[in-house]
Amino acid sequence: MTDDRPAWARRIAAERQARDWSQRDAVRTLRAHAPTELPAEDSMIRQWKRWESGQAPNDFYQPIIAAVFGTVTHALFPAPSRRDGEKEILAASGMETLEIVSRLNRSDVDGATLDALRITTDRLCSEYPFMPSGQLIIEGRQWLRRVVELHTKSLTLAQHREVLALSGWLALLVGCVEYDMGDRHAAESTRRAALSLATEADHSEVAGWAHEMRAWFALTTGDYRGVISAAQAGAETAPNHSVAVQLAGQEAKAWARLGDRRQVEVALDKGRRLLEGMPHPENLDNHFVVDPAKFDFYSMDCYRLVGEDRLARTLAEEVLRAGTDFDGTERSPMRNAEARVTLGVAAAREGDLEQALLHGERALQGDRQSVPSLIMTSRELAAVMRQRYSTEPTAQDYLNHLQDLGREKPGFLPS
């Protein structure tokens, strides 16, 4: 086998090896997940060898292989994504930003203007993963003000609900960026505003994401029971939307930090089943869409917490591969940072201080960070450093760097 195999082929081989399975073991597990009888074992082992060498499985086998490794079909066998930005706004609505703003100043609002606003909102939410926080929060607040001002216009009932929903999505976006920047109080106020808008518009998906934000806030501040409560409330509010998958992921992370391995698996399996049953998203870049690759990110965090270092490392490498373009540009710098922390934790536990520090310091670099989430995960690497390398000057330098980052955002100082 060579390195030019497809990424999915390299991954299923790595996942199998991380579990210490032979190919025969993998086939037996595959059979246990199959909905119907499979061919004889020797035939399936030959088939498995072909898959690991790069011959693509058909549509019947793809979801079964994904289930074997606790993930979903499109995380293991991804479909192409899109990123259209301003060109999409112009193509779909025929308007550039200046014309949209001009139309917003009129006494009434037509369908084309609302379509352009809908596309603009989607674009902003799609730029969340990589646009610098300072720039995104300015744009997000500007558009939120513009949309909120539409409430003073002459609107039909349907337009009124649409404007409320758009205001809710923009408030969610602004609240996320505020929290990334360490402004907890502003973020919570904005989150509550989004929930209020969702309630008035009777928009369950926006409401579900408002609950998800509460779960995220609770997770990064150590309120793990609060995470579980928020996740369950959000799942009841929006059971048929992809946010329910992310809520299951947040719940799994909380159970991992509470040390309950069984509940971790229950929550992850719940999220996996939900995601597997949903259509593939049209826009994988939108922050409020759960793309299949993100499920590996949830699992990575959980397996790191419960000490499954080989599985966590395999998933971290997959997160980095999926989050980086062919030219090295990082599509998902925040996820990549946490993946590097995971690699650092695994290396530190195995006694490789040099690699642990390399990954740990790399994680703290970059313009686009979610400081609360980054500090939360880095605490684990810091704990291993203190336990095993307290007398090493290089380890102390890393701990000091992490402390400095925490002091910049006092509410998130690592313990």
Side-chain angles (χ1 to χ4, degrees), residues 1 21 46 58 65 70 129 216 264 271 312 318 341 372 381:
M1 292 184 294
W21 289 352
R46 288 193 295 273
N58 62 27
I65 297 169
W216 173 36
V264 169
E318 179 60 24
V341 172
L381 181 54

Side-chain angles (χ1 to χ4, degrees), residues 243-291:
V243 66
V245 178
Q246 185 140 324
L247 288 161
Q250 299 290 28
E251 184 179 350
K253 291 182 178 185
W255 285 120
R257 286 163 173 80
L258 289 168
D260 193 326
R261 174 64 183 269
R262 188 181 73 84
Q263 290 296 336
V264 169
E265 296 294 351
V266 168
L268 284 176
D269 189 60
K270 175 171 62 178
R272 186 188 65 79
R273 290 177 183 275
L274 282 169
L275 186 54
E276 192 67 85
M278 292 179 176
H280 193 266
E282 291 184 10
N283 182 9
L284 294 175
D285 294 324
N286 190 310
H287 179 60
F288 301 108
V289 168
V290 178
D291 68 284

Side-chain angles (χ1 to χ4, degrees), residues 8-54:
W8 58 263
R10 297 196 300 272
R11 179 176 175 183
I12 64 173
E15 291 263 15
R16 175 179 61 78
Q17 292 160 6
R19 290 165 171 77
D20 288 324
W21 289 352
S22 66
Q23 291 178 330
R24 188 174 299 275
D25 294 331
V27 164
R28 289 173 177 169
T29 308
L30 184 81
R31 194 178 299 279
H33 284 83
T36 60
E37 186 68 24
L38 298 182
E41 187 166 287
D42 287 345
S43 174
M44 285 306 305
I45 290 173
R46 288 193 295 273
Q47 183 63 65
W48 190 279
K49 290 179 184 292
R50 286 193 288 269
W51 292 336
E52 288 197 6
S53 69

